[in-house]
Each structure stands twice: as C-alpha cells, then as structure tokens.
Amino acid sequence: MKLAIGSDHAGFELKEAVRKYLISKNIEVDDKGCYSLDRADYPDFGHAVALSVEAKQVDLGIVICGSGNGINMSANKHKGIRSALCWNDEIAALARQHNDANIMALPARFMSVEMAQKCVDAFLSSTFEGGRHADRLKKIDC
C-alpha cells in the first residue's frame, strides 16, 4: 500500500507522527509537505495529495491542518476525490465503509497522536460496503 500525506504548518507535527506511524507499519508514504513549522497554506498540500490520489499514483491520502476543514475542502475540489473529515476511529471507518473516502482529513488542533493513529488504522482496515451506499455516491458529482 502507498499513501500520500500532506499538511500545512498547523498540521505539521501531527503529520510527522502519522508519517512515522505509517512507515512503522511498512506502508510506503509520499510526503507532499509541508516540511517545517514555517507558515504554509493548506490548499497547496491538499491539492498535492488529491492530485496523487486522482492520478492513482497512491492508493489513499491523508491531509492535515488545524481544523481539518480547509485542507479537506481543497482536496474535495478534485474530480473523483472523496475526502472525509475524521475526528475519531468510528467516523474514519464509516468514511470508507459508507462514503468510499479515498482521503482522510484530520484536525491537528483537536486530536491526540493516539487518536490520529486509531483513525489511520480504522481508515486503512475498512472497505467500501457498496449497495445502497454506491447509489448515494453516484448522486454526489454535479
């Protein structure tokens, strides 16, 4: 499995913790930045992760900013991207099971590293259930 990950400065420390956690699980990680606590704009990194998922260069993506909202909105501007804001492991599992999310957005200012790891595990171990959920997904694109 290969994932793309990206964050702004507010999400940098959590991104680093999640990146290291993924590597410890033998998951290949394409780090799209940012690479320090210096000011960085979340759309740049949300778009970079979304482009990698969109082009099928990676299987899934993880994006992180302070609230998770801005980077999530940026990623969702891309056709075929279904980025879900996740703040606990149940939401992360449901994002994959019911919404076939291909990117998970995390709110760095509102979660611990431990909860982020639980979200990662739930997101990566869950699969899309299809059925009635597939019918609903068809209605999302305009």
Side-chain angles (χ1 to χ4, degrees):
M1 177 174 281
K2 183 175 182 180
L3 269 71
I5 192 168
S7 74
D8 67 357
H9 60 283
F12 172 71
E13 290 176 332
L14 186 62
K15 178 190 68 101
E16 286 300 293
V18 169
R19 183 183 64 79
K20 290 173 185 173
Y21 182 68
L22 291 166
I23 291 169
S24 78
K25 296 175 76 66
N26 295 315
I27 295 171
E28 188 177 350
V29 180
D30 183 4
D31 187 349
K32 299 295 187 180
C34 71
Y35 305 107
S36 74
L37 291 170
D38 294 339
R39 181 183 174 271
D41 298 332
Y42 58 77
D44 299 336
F45 310 101
H47 291 311
V49 170
L51 286 168
S52 288
V53 174
E54 197 174 20
K56 301 192 185 326
Q57 296 167 342
V58 296
D59 301 298
L60 298 167
I62 297 174
V63 293
I64 306 169
C65 71
S67 70
N69 282 309
I71 203 162
N72 187 47
M73 291 176 187
S74 299
N76 274 319
K77 293 297 181 181
H78 294 259
K79 186 170 178 58
I81 295 301
R82 291 171 307 282
S83 182
L85 178 59
C86 300
W87 56 91
N88 66 39
D89 50 334
E90 183 179 10
I91 296 292
L94 288 170
R96 294 279 293 140
Q97 293 165 356
H98 292 188
N99 308 115
D100 199 19
N102 49 17
I103 295 178
M104 175 174 62
L106 299 175
R109 291 184 176 139
F110 300 94
M111 70 180 353
S112 65
V113 170
E114 293 77 18
M115 181 52 71
Q117 291 171 343
K118 288 180 182 180
C119 287
V120 166
D121 290 340
F123 191 72
L124 298 183
S125 66
S126 300
T127 57
F128 184 52
E129 293 175 357
R132 70 184 192 277
H133 305 296
D135 294 337
R136 292 171 184 152
L137 284 183
K138 291 175 190 171
K139 295 181 178 184
I140 291 176
D141 287 335
C142 293

